[in-house]
Amino acid sequence: MARQPDIATVLAARAGDPAAVDRLVAGYLPLVYTIVGRALEGHADVDDVVQEVMIRVLRNLGELREPEAFRSWLVAITVRQVRERFRGRHSAADEILDPDLRDPGADFTDLAITRLELSGQRRETAEATRWLDEEYRELLSLWWLEASGELTRDEIVEATGVGRQHAAVRIQRMKGQLETARAVVRALHRTPRCAELISLLAGWDGRPGALWRKRIARHTRECRNCGAAWHDLIAAERLLAGMALVPLPPAYFTNLSGTATSATTAAKAVPVKLAAKAGGSVVQKVLAGTLAAGAVAGAGGLVVAYQSPSSPAASPAAVVVPAVASSAPAPAISASPSPSVSRSPSSSPSASPQASRKPAAAPAAISAKKGVGVWKFSGAKAALKDVGAGWYYDWAPNDNEVPGPAGVEFVPMIWGAANVTDATLKEAKSEGDVLLGFNEPDLAEQSNMSVEAALAAWPKLEATGMTLVSPAVAFGGDTAGGWLDRFMSGASATGLRVDAIALHWYGSDFSKASVDQFLGYVDAVHKRYDKPIWITEFGLINFGATPRYPSDAQKVTFIKGATAGLEKRSFVQRYAWFGLPAVDDSVDFGLYEDGKTPTEAGKAYRAAG
């Protein structure tokens, strides 16, 4: 990748220096192509979108107030243009793009496999990107660059327009879908192919898509022959860690200097901002030469060079959790109010004409203890009411994303260090009397806070006067010397107030023994700290083997036993299943398909309390 220009170049380009404009375009064009190319996955629109981005950037460069923020600004514009192109496609007839119209220069998957001679799990991962939903491909393009060190998490947050915690969960859900897609790719490449899978694929046209990803993934989970596709998956971060974009070939810069530079040299007297006001003629010439040179030299085909990771990273699994080697219960990456599912609130459902034909459902058991973790989905408010929850949270300081029904308490959270601001704390205080502390600070993928940083920030939470629930560690809450143990020791030594303990638990043993395993962990944490307990995430998910999720009967058995045990324990103040929605990638563990349709697990949780 061409070295990205410094602030001086941005300032000079903003002032109208044509040579600086050339350097700015040449330096950042690879980054823009990478984002757009992966997001559109080789669509013929790639070059058009890249040109639109660069034109928009140069036209508005004179209005950029903070030159040091140029890259973040550029990335945000790129994402907006990608989304506009997606919307444009959706408003037109939904036609399948002819393969001949795909831009091979922008097909990062083919180029990564061919030019870098990828094999094994790296090749599988590259192929799996074709199976991602459209909304996740945009996020993949950004996360891929974050994994390579080309972008920061803050830049991703700014580009996507969501909070840091929201971005973290969206990335986790994207990685979960990527892992599912990797299992699909493995099953399809297995030789000889499973006979049942061959039968399943009888109507498949060979094109990757969401419906077939789900069908094939479901088969792999249930098939003894194909189940191995889920085994030994190396974390995507480990496969991509340390990678860098391949530098553009010399011909790219030769062509660029012979086209774009000559175009700008011929119009040196016209500053960029004046050219923009005049219709962008100079900008158009710059980009015409630059993009043509890029196409000739393969700029649209930027690929990544993989290097061996210097250290292993936690492996993402399924939708929400990275596997962590520990004797403690498996940890989970918790969700936020903004996973990448469609965001549109729903009102309570109206009565259906067919409702009288079905047996009336038993009224929900309402419990002050019983709650749920919720991210936005259609019917969230109605489902919250139907499940009989006494409370809920959405990993945010307010309920703006997921407003709940009357009578169901919303509990705010200060998710991480970036949220410890006067404005956010004031917002949280206006929501209620209880405040949840940092979310899984012991995981890099979540709030990622050291014990020292959490202790330093805690007095600001304490100043709200609210009841404070401890940071919720992903695992090891009962472990001497663990993150939570060190936090609680530090709080005690410095006189900080912690009113209750939050914990997460996910079990991989789907037998009846899981109930005792879960409740035993709850008891051990309470015994260690002698404080009220909040279980803010719990469920059954196997992060390292097959089957990954329990059967409906196993979920029902666990929910009945676990909730009965929690209700009996006076020191357990609250508990929350992960999570309420059973849509898209959460169908295997969520509670409600919409506002009025509980899963079998949802029915069991509805009756709990």
Side-chain angles (χ1 to χ4, degrees):
M1 182 174 182
R3 188 173 67 86
Q4 293 174 354
D6 55 17
I7 295 178
T9 302
V10 176
L11 287 169
R14 188 176 66 172
D17 182 345
V21 172
D22 282 351
R23 293 197 300 274
L24 201 63
V25 171
Y28 281 103
L29 186 62
L31 179 66
V32 174
Y33 255 120
T34 302
I35 295 172
V36 177
R38 284 203 178 281
L40 298 185
E41 185 53 37
H43 194 280
D45 290 349
V46 167
D47 282 338
D48 289 343
V49 173
V50 172
Q51 179 154 318
E52 289 167 4
V53 169
M54 300 307 291
I55 289 174
R56 188 175 295 271
V57 166
L58 294 181
R59 279 181 173 172
N60 292 282
L61 186 57
E63 309 302 323
L64 179 63
R65 295 182 179 181
E66 300 178 359
E68 65 276 8
F70 176 82
R71 189 173 70 172
S72 297
W73 179 65
L74 170 70
V75 173
I77 290 174
T78 304
V79 170
R80 285 198 296 272
Q81 290 303 116
V82 167
R83 289 177 179 176
E84 285 185 13
R85 189 52 58 107
F86 281 152
R87 284 194 292 269
R89 279 198 220 161
H90 295 161
S91 62
D94 187 14
E95 297 179 355
I96 298 177
L97 184 69
D98 189 297
D100 292 336
L101 296 179
R102 293 176 63 85
D103 178 4
D107 191 331
F108 287 74
T109 301
D110 283 343
L111 285 163
I113 292 172
T114 303
R115 293 189 181 184
L116 300 179
E117 299 181 351
L118 299 183
S119 60
Q121 294 202 33
R122 286 174 173 164
R123 180 186 183 105
E124 291 171 355
T125 302
E127 291 188 19
T129 63
R130 292 195 176 106
W131 289 86
L132 292 183
D133 291 344
E134 190 172 87
E135 60 185 339
Y136 282 151
R137 288 204 299 271
E138 169 202 300
L139 194 58
L140 170 72
S141 68
L142 301 176
W143 175 71
W144 191 286
L145 288 166
E146 182 191 26
S148 72
E150 300 291 343
L151 290 181
T152 66
R153 178 57 61 89
D154 287 339
E155 287 171 330
I156 293 179
V157 168
E158 185 171 344
T160 55
V162 299
R164 189 177 181 85
Q165 61 268 45
H166 301 187
V169 166
R170 291 191 64 201
I171 288 172
Q172 286 306 120
R173 291 174 65 81
M174 178 275 295
K175 292 194 299 187
Q177 190 174 102
L178 179 62
E179 181 172 303
T180 298
R182 290 169 65 187
V184 167
V185 169
R186 280 188 170 188
L188 292 175
H189 284 315
R190 185 175 180 271
T191 304
R193 183 175 286 180
C194 167
E196 293 182 8
L197 180 58
I198 292 174
S199 177
L200 173 68
L201 297 175
W204 183 42
D205 63 1
R207 299 176 186 272
L211 177 61
W212 283 100
R213 182 190 69 239
K214 293 175 181 178
R215 287 177 176 175
I216 298 169
R218 186 180 302 115
H219 167 80
T220 62
R221 293 188 183 106
E222 299 172 353
C223 176
R224 180 175 299 179
N225 294 326
C226 296
W230 293 91
H231 296 173
D232 304 320
L233 289 173
I234 298 173
E237 291 93 335
R238 294 182 61 182
L239 297 173
L240 308 181
M243 70 183 185
L245 295 174
V246 171
L248 297 179
Y252 170 78
F253 299 101
T254 301
N255 289 334
L256 181 61
S257 62
T259 53
T261 303
S262 61
T264 54
T265 302
K268 283 184 178 180
V270 185
V272 171
K273 53 189 175 184
L274 295 182
K277 292 180 180 179
S281 57
V282 173
V283 173
Q284 289 284 5
K285 289 181 181 179
V286 172
L287 290 172
T290 302
L291 295 177
V296 170
L302 294 173
V303 292
V304 293
Y306 295 89
Q307 300 173 358
S308 298
S310 57
S311 61
S315 172
V319 178
V320 293
V321 184
V324 174
S326 171
S327 59
I333 296 301
S334 52
S336 79
S338 296
S340 52
V341 296
S342 176
R343 303 186 180 101
S344 58
S346 171
S347 58
S348 299
S350 58
S352 167
Q354 297 180 349
S356 60
R357 301 177 189 176
K358 298 179 181 179
I366 298 176
S367 166
K369 289 186 179 185
K370 182 172 67 175
V372 281
V374 188
W375 50 96
K376 196 168 185 178
F377 76 108
S378 179
K381 181 181 288 188
L384 272 169
K385 183 177 181 179
D386 189 72
V387 78
W391 73 285
Y392 77 102
Y393 77 113
D394 64 359
W395 294 267
N398 58 60
D399 64 352
N400 295 346
E401 287 285 343
V402 189
V408 180
E409 179 187 1
F410 171 77
V411 179
M413 170 184 277
I414 298 299
W415 188 85
N419 306 105
V420 186
T421 66
D422 291 341
T424 303
L425 289 166
K426 181 179 180 181
E427 193 174 21
K429 185 174 174 60
S430 69
E431 294 286 350
D433 300 322
V434 182
L435 184 61
L436 298 176
F438 311 122
N439 187 73
E440 297 185 347
D442 51 333
L443 290 184
E445 297 85 354
Q446 291 297 293
S447 60
N448 189 27
M449 298 175 68
S450 67
V451 171
E452 294 72 23
L455 289 170
W458 201 254
K460 293 186 177 180
L461 277 67
E462 192 171 342
T464 64
M466 303 169 73
T467 298
L468 297 182
V469 184
S470 77
V473 293
F475 62 99
D478 61 339
T479 302
W483 196 102
L484 181 60
D485 191 59
R486 287 182 286 124
F487 175 85
M488 293 301 294
S489 296
S492 177
T494 55
L496 296 178
R497 175 171 57 86
V498 182
D499 299 306
I501 302 294
L503 59 88
H504 293 173
W505 186 90
Y506 291 87
S508 58
D509 181 349
F510 302 157
S511 71
K512 292 181 180 179
S514 61
V515 173
D516 289 336
Q517 292 166 3
F518 169 50
L519 295 176
Y521 180 58
V522 173
D523 291 344
V525 174
H526 176 252
K527 182 179 180 180
R528 185 164 196 84
Y529 305 111
D530 193 25
K531 288 183 179 290
I533 299 295
W534 286 52
I535 302 99
T536 49
E537 290 183 28
F538 76 108
L540 292 180
I541 302 176
N542 187 336
F543 305 126
T546 299
R548 187 167 300 275
Y549 302 104
S551 66
D552 285 343
Q554 289 170 327
K555 280 182 280 191
V556 168
T557 298
F558 174 74
I559 288 173
K560 287 182 176 179
T563 55
L566 295 174
E567 290 289 338
K568 291 178 181 178
R569 284 163 167 76
S570 60
F571 60 81
V572 173
Q573 290 185 337
R574 304 287 180 91
Y575 59 86
W577 182 265
F578 183 84
L580 186 64
V583 296
D584 297 328
D585 289 331
S586 59
V587 294
D588 291 305
F589 54 85
L591 302 178
Y592 275 74
E593 298 174 12
D594 52 43
K596 59 183 178 181
T597 311
T599 62
E600 292 304 309
K603 294 175 184 177
Y605 201 70
R606 187 176 184 274

